[in-house]
Amino acid sequence: MISHLRRAAHFLNARLWKPFGEPAFYAILHHPRIAASIAAGIILLIGSIWWFIRSRRPSATELERRRREYLTAHGRITDGIILDARTLAGEESLDPTPEVLVYSYRLAGVTYDCAQDVSMLPEQVRGYRLDQPISLRYDPRHPGNSILVSETWSGLWLRRH
């Protein structure tokens, strides 16, 4: 039985790996074109895989939208207060639709001071007031992860015009 296996291995080696009478490894090392072709193929394969993974990665805007969507669907509601309105540059804003709202809330004796970029949701924050009581949604597993507004929900008690 073992002799049959040896003969089969020898036959396969002679037919598949030594078609020109020399070992494949020897052929690769001593023929630069073959080695360069294999290296180029490997580099191309790695580059293609990297590009595919990179192109499938969501943008920062998409990640923020998904976070708001998750908190809207699964977050718990608590009360808080708006402390400040700012621009994205960090300056104070008196605009009726600010870019960033700074707010505070308290859970289990811990006070959380947070800010939400609301520049993508101007219609949701129009009519806000400083020192206004608010409702907000937070993640019970990570209480610092919270939102005031999303595309489908608002915790602002808006003033009617």
Side-chain angles (χ1 to χ4, degrees):
M1 176 76 172
I2 293 177
S3 64
H4 292 293
L5 290 175
R6 279 190 193 144
R7 268 191 258 142
H10 180 67
F11 176 78
L12 288 175
N13 190 30
R15 293 285 182 193
L16 298 177
W17 300 111
K18 298 182 190 177
F20 303 109
E22 59 187 23
F25 186 70
Y26 177 83
I28 290 171
L29 288 179
H30 288 80
H31 295 289
R33 286 186 181 170
I34 294 174
S37 298
I38 290 173
I42 290 171
I43 290 171
L44 185 63
L45 178 67
I46 291 171
S48 298
I49 291 170
W50 177 83
W51 177 81
F52 178 76
I53 291 171
R54 178 82 175 157
S55 68
R56 306 277 298 168
R57 186 178 300 165
S59 66
T61 305
E62 176 63 15
L63 289 174
E64 176 62 17
R65 188 197 62 75
R66 289 181 188 178
R67 183 184 79 87
R68 288 192 307 261
E69 186 178 283
Y70 172 79
L71 288 172
T72 299
H74 303 290
R76 290 190 184 161
I77 298 176
T78 190
D79 295 325
I81 190 166
I82 294 178
L83 301 174
D84 200 4
R86 300 205 166 261
T87 64
L88 288 175
E91 301 165 353
E92 287 191 31
S93 173
L94 298 175
D95 191 17
T97 56
E99 296 174 330
V100 177
L101 286 176
V102 180
Y103 58 97
S104 178
Y105 59 101
R106 190 174 177 93
L107 294 172
V110 178
T111 300
Y112 295 91
D113 293 327
C114 299
Q116 182 181 352
D117 177 357
V118 292
S119 61
M120 300 300 289
L121 306 163
E123 293 302 316
Q124 296 285 35
V125 298
R126 189 176 310 280
Y128 80 98
R129 292 188 335 260
L130 289 179
D131 297 332
Q132 170 186 0
I134 55 169
S135 296
L136 58 100
R137 290 188 181 260
Y138 70 95
D139 185 349
R141 291 177 292 164
H142 306 284
N145 184 9
S146 62
I147 58 168
L148 282 174
V149 294
S150 71
E151 289 77 3
T152 58
W153 180 82
S154 176
L156 297 174
W157 301 350
L158 297 179
R159 157 177 51 182
R160 302 292 174 216
H161 302 306

